[in-house]
Amino acid sequence: MKKKLSVAVGLFLLIAATGCSSEENSLSENNESSNSITNGDITLRYGSGDLNKSIEIKNSAVNFIKFDQSGQKLSALQNKTTYTPNLAGAIAAVGNNWYNINNGETYYIPEGTTFTGGFNFNSGGKIIILGELGGSNWLNVPNGGRVEVGNNGKILSTVNFHLNSAGKLDNYGFVTYTTGSVDGIINNYNNLNFSNSESLNGSSIVNNYCRMVFNAPNNYLNSSLNNEGYLTFEKGFHINGSGSLNLKGQSYTEVTGGTVSIDGKIKANGNGDGFSRMDFSNMSFGNINANIAFMGHIDLNFVNTSYTAIQNKINNQVTINSNAYIQANECTPQKGNAPCSDDQLQFTLVANVASPSISNTTLSATGVTINNGFAYVSYHTNDAVAGSNTKGAIRIFNVTDYNSPSLVNEALFNNIEFNNVDVDNNKLYAVGGDKNGAKLVTAPLVNNTFSTQDLSSFLNYKLPSSTAKNSYFYNNYLYASTGTTGGGFFKLDPNNAYAITDQYNFAGERAKYVAHNNTYQVFLAVQATGASLRIANNDGSNPKVYNYSTLAQTVTDGKNVIVLDDEYVYVALSDKGVAKIRLSDGQLMNNFIPRNFKVNDQNVFSQTGLTNAVAVNNCYLYLANGTDGVIVLNKNTFKVVGYYKLSASANYIYISNNLAFVATGESGLNILKIN
């Protein structure tokens, strides 16, 4: 049976029109050029102007103090494939003769020779090209026909070469494809150029494992083009509705001119291999009719190219201008910096963001999430300064340009404060509390921002306990961690006013945080005897509970953020530092306590520092460690790579791709690039 939550549905009446504000809200800047609406409980500010006066653009290097560590390197990608021909029973093709190929027959062009004659496939057969295929005759490869080009073999640009449906080309050498369509199958293991405008018709399958170039304009993809290596479009392309460009992790695709139009899809199929990368330079976008044109772990980078046409056509796994690292090999050039080269790791302070203020109460940032190039930041009051005063805020930043973030929305709340924020499927979920207990506030998003027409879309719901710590939305349910007395870990039904459908918590334990990846869901609780983790499937099923007495904290009222990568959960444990725990079996793999770290028998970090929060990316673990600033560990070895300090105590950190947000209490929010 579902337990009903009492609902304080925020059908807040619109009291003031644009340009008005409640007397209860003392805005952090004069609002001479801002727009705002209010209902007395909420003031929503929007538009350019004084909102952005709270952002001080820096774009300055951070003093990152490093320690001598050896960097981790990525394994090499597949290079060109060695081809060994099977010439048993094969017939040599020489000079300028003409040959009829019957079913089951194999002809070959010997290495070191150039054949300028012709072939006629009467039915399925094979041609092996170890030398050069030249001349100007047509070579139509039919269903069942196969052409193999050896490592030193070539098909020259004079040849009218065409693959019919189910005809096959396996290229281990150098091929220039001159006819205007492909109807068969291409597997490219070395170098292949399409020299004319090309149509990959619906019956074709084109797989690139090394280097492939489209030289001309007006290329049409009506089927699957699969890139696992280096793919170049010199003058653009068009993907029709039946077509797709499929990118494997660590593949590199570039567009160096022309126009790109998309009715189909560009999809990354990483399978744990990391991001694929697409670079666009000196080109333009035409019609982007696909609802979601780019999906999966793709990093899109732009030079002399406007990308406004695609900003709303990407899913939340796609990144923009993150300079993803692609390792060089025989087929692919290096792009970006090696992510695990510790000597190359550095940080740029992009901006300082002053905290919002309500009725002379300065707020502190508590949570961040990024979706579709926008950052959503939650704020609450600092109890040590504000006492029982309860005020909060949600801000929305446009961070598509990492070098110049802008503040587009600010929602100020007179009676609710927030500990965390989540975004899913064009809806925002913010959790915290008011004087009467834990609260959830929801709001729809329009083009990634709040509706500025009225405030009736902001709804609030009462949750169990005194305050809500964090939440996330998954598979049509909201999962939330709340407070102490009466709190715990809850599964909530949005179709029934966020009624409790399941409650997962342990007697005597204090709920702290919940997080998930594509496989696992993890809930952290603490008690005097140690930390507890509930590790389950990402829908909450098949749970296992693990207890860690060695991780008992002296300080138990901290934030205690947890983050996951594919294999591990990393737990911020205040005075016990950070722990690394394997998700598959709950095994404690490592524990780093900053106050115990020494160099030449001297303590490096404060003896009172607390690990408030952690964040993780592909190689590193980042600790928000109070007055110590941000400490960076190699996530594999748990060795200290270095640290940097900001203007005030680091209380929270969030990282998405190469962008980091570090909260420093009332001193504001710091936005950094990881280089």
Side-chain angles (χ1 to χ4, degrees):
M1 183 175 70
K2 295 184 179 180
K3 178 180 176 183
K4 281 282 190 176
L5 298 176
S6 62
V7 181
V9 180
L11 298 174
F12 303 116
L13 297 177
L14 180 61
I15 295 176
T18 299
C20 299
S21 62
S22 167
E23 293 180 358
E24 294 299 314
N25 292 322
S26 297
L27 304 180
S28 54
E29 303 284 348
N30 73 77
N31 63 349
E32 180 179 343
S33 60
S34 69
N35 299 304
S36 66
I37 57 175
T38 185
N39 62 13
D41 290 316
I42 304 173
T43 296
L44 176 62
R45 306 176 66 207
Y46 60 94
S48 59
D50 70 307
L51 266 186
N52 280 314
K53 292 180 182 178
S54 61
I55 300 179
E56 184 181 3
I57 301 297
K58 295 286 191 178
N59 285 316
S60 58
V62 169
N63 182 22
F64 181 48
I65 301 171
K66 298 181 182 179
F67 297 91
D68 184 18
Q69 307 289 338
S70 60
Q72 302 293 312
K73 292 185 178 180
L74 296 175
S75 59
L77 298 175
Q78 180 180 358
N79 293 330
K80 290 183 289 189
T81 303
T82 300
Y83 169 75
T84 302
N86 179 8
L87 298 180
I91 303 168
V94 294
N96 61 356
N97 295 323
W98 191 273
Y99 297 92
N100 291 307
I101 304 177
N102 297 312
N103 189 41
E105 290 184 337
T106 299
Y107 283 78
Y108 75 99
I109 300 173
E111 190 167 357
T113 69
T114 299
F115 177 72
T116 58
F119 292 101
N120 178 52
F121 280 93
N122 290 324
S123 59
K126 182 191 293 186
I127 301 172
I128 297 175
I129 302 172
L130 304 178
E132 294 182 354
L133 174 62
S136 59
N137 291 311
W138 277 86
L139 178 56
N140 278 300
V141 184
N143 184 350
R146 183 166 180 173
V147 176
E148 296 177 0
V149 181
N151 291 121
N152 295 314
K154 295 180 180 180
I155 297 179
L156 302 180
S157 61
T158 58
V159 178
N160 296 299
F161 181 89
H162 180 256
L163 287 173
N164 291 298
S165 179
K168 189 175 183 181
L169 168 65
D170 290 322
N171 175 43
Y172 301 89
F174 304 85
V175 170
T176 300
Y177 194 106
T178 58
T179 57
S181 65
V182 178
D183 295 282
I185 301 166
I186 294 178
N187 293 308
N188 177 51
Y189 300 98
N190 199 339
N191 281 268
L192 190 150
N193 280 19
F194 292 101
S195 60
N196 291 317
S197 300
E198 204 65 43
S199 177
L200 306 186
N201 291 328
S203 59
S204 69
I205 299 174
V206 178
N207 301 308
N208 177 45
Y209 302 102
C210 191
R211 188 176 190 276
M212 180 178 288
V213 180
F214 288 78
N215 299 119
N218 301 318
N219 300 296
Y220 292 89
L221 278 59
N222 301 296
S223 61
S224 294
L225 171 56
N226 306 305
N227 183 31
E228 297 190 18
Y230 178 27
L231 173 64
T232 300
F233 294 93
E234 293 184 346
K235 297 180 182 179
F237 60 88
H238 177 86
I239 303 179
N240 287 319
S242 59
S244 64
L245 174 57
N246 303 311
L247 309 176
K248 188 178 180 182
Q250 284 291 290
S251 68
Y252 176 45
T253 304
E254 63 176 350
V255 183
T256 59
T259 300
V260 170
S261 300
I262 304 173
D263 296 321
K265 290 283 187 292
I266 297 178
K267 301 182 291 187
N269 303 307
N271 296 323
D273 296 319
F275 273 75
S276 55
R277 175 170 176 148
M278 290 192 74
D279 287 3
F280 300 87
S281 59
N282 303 306
M283 50 79 63
S284 61
F285 287 99
N287 294 324
I288 309 296
N289 295 319
N291 183 32
I292 298 295
F294 298 83
M295 57 196 308
H297 290 106
I298 313 172
D299 179 40
L300 308 177
N301 297 272
F302 301 90
V303 175
N304 295 328
T305 297
S306 172
Y307 52 90
T308 56
I310 68 167
Q311 283 182 269
N312 295 322
K313 302 289 186 174
I314 62 177
N315 74 358
N316 58 11
Q317 293 179 309
V318 176
T319 62
I320 292 180
N321 289 332
S322 291
N323 195 28
Y325 174 66
I326 303 296
Q327 186 174 358
N329 60 27
E330 288 181 307
C331 301
T332 308
Q334 177 179 320
K335 301 298 291 187
N337 293 323
C340 290
S341 295
D342 296 348
D343 59 341
Q344 295 185 27
L345 183 64
Q346 56 186 334
F347 302 86
T348 299
L349 178 60
V350 176
N352 290 327
V353 184
S355 292
S357 180
I358 304 175
S359 300
N360 298 317
T361 298
T362 301
L363 307 183
S364 301
T366 56
V368 180
T369 192
I370 293 180
N371 186 65
N372 289 336
F374 287 78
Y376 304 83
V377 184
S378 59
Y379 292 82
H380 74 172
T381 50
N382 187 328
D383 291 344
V385 176
S388 60
N389 197 5
T390 303
K391 299 182 185 300
I394 302 293
R395 280 177 161 177
I396 302 178
F397 296 85
N398 186 333
V399 293
T400 52
D401 183 350
Y402 280 15
N403 296 312
S404 184
S406 61
L407 177 57
V408 294
N409 279 169
E410 178 182 76
L412 305 172
F413 295 76
N414 274 319
N415 299 307
I416 302 177
E417 62 180 0
F418 301 102
N419 293 318
N420 207 266
V421 62
D422 185 48
V423 170
D424 187 88
N425 197 26
N426 297 315
K427 194 167 187 177
L428 178 138
Y429 304 86
V431 294
D434 61 12
K435 295 180 179 64
N436 298 312
K439 286 283 189 179
L440 162 69
V441 170
T442 68
L445 299 172
V446 180
N447 295 325
N448 304 298
T449 63
F450 292 133
S451 169
T452 58
Q453 300 304 306
D454 62 62
L455 300 174
S456 63
S457 60
F458 284 89
L459 308 178
N460 77 76
Y461 304 85
K462 183 171 174 55
L463 301 180
S465 190
S466 58
T467 188
K469 300 300 184 65
N470 82 303
S471 69
Y472 71 85
F473 196 88
Y474 174 77
N475 200 20
N476 300 318
Y477 288 94
L478 187 73
Y479 295 86
S481 172
T482 74
T484 51
T485 304
F489 174 31
F490 301 93
K491 180 181 178 181
L492 309 173
D493 184 2
N495 295 317
N496 194 20
Y498 295 91
I500 299 170
T501 65
D502 289 290
Q503 180 173 351
Y504 319 109
N505 63 320
F506 322 112
E509 293 187 330
R510 176 179 293 183
K512 283 294 185 177
Y513 214 83
V514 61
H516 75 114
N517 61 16
N518 291 330
T519 306
Y520 295 98
Q521 174 195 85
V522 182
F523 166 58
L524 169 67
V526 301
Q527 55 185 333
T529 57
S532 296
L533 289 182
R534 180 188 189 273
I535 302 178
N537 296 334
N538 54 16
D539 63 356
S541 64
N542 193 29
K544 295 180 181 178
V545 177
Y546 303 94
N547 298 300
Y548 306 92
S549 59
T550 59
L551 301 180
Q553 304 168 81
T554 302
V555 179
T556 60
D557 58 355
K559 192 174 181 70
N560 296 125
V561 169
I562 64 175
V563 294
L564 281 65
D565 59 17
D566 290 338
E567 298 181 77
Y568 302 98
V569 55
Y570 304 88
V571 186
L573 291 164
S574 300
D575 57 290
K576 277 294 188 291
V578 61
K580 176 181 180 179
I581 295 169
R582 192 159 57 199
L583 291 164
S584 60
D585 59 7
Q587 182 176 341
L588 176 61
M589 306 299 293
N590 222 322
N591 181 207
F592 173 77
I593 303 175
R595 62 181 65 180
N596 294 345
F597 178 68
K598 295 183 179 182
V599 174
N600 298 326
D601 292 326
Q602 299 293 316
N603 290 315
V604 175
F605 302 118
S606 167
Q607 295 304 288
T608 59
L610 302 176
T611 305
N612 300 307
V614 294
V616 68
N617 65 3
N618 49 1
C619 291
Y620 300 109
L621 190 65
Y622 303 82
L623 282 58
N625 219 69
T627 56
D628 296 319
V630 174
I631 302 172
V632 182
L633 307 181
N634 183 302
K635 76 171 186 178
N636 299 312
T637 65
F638 255 44
K639 292 181 179 180
V640 179
V641 177
Y643 69 95
Y644 60 85
K645 293 188 177 184
L646 297 167
S647 59
S649 176
N651 300 325
Y652 177 78
I653 184 167
Y654 175 89
I655 289 175
S656 177
N657 300 312
N658 292 329
L659 199 62
F661 290 78
V662 183
T664 53
E666 291 181 302
S667 297
L669 184 71
N670 302 273
I671 303 176
L672 301 100
K673 285 191 300 186
I674 303 171
N675 305 312

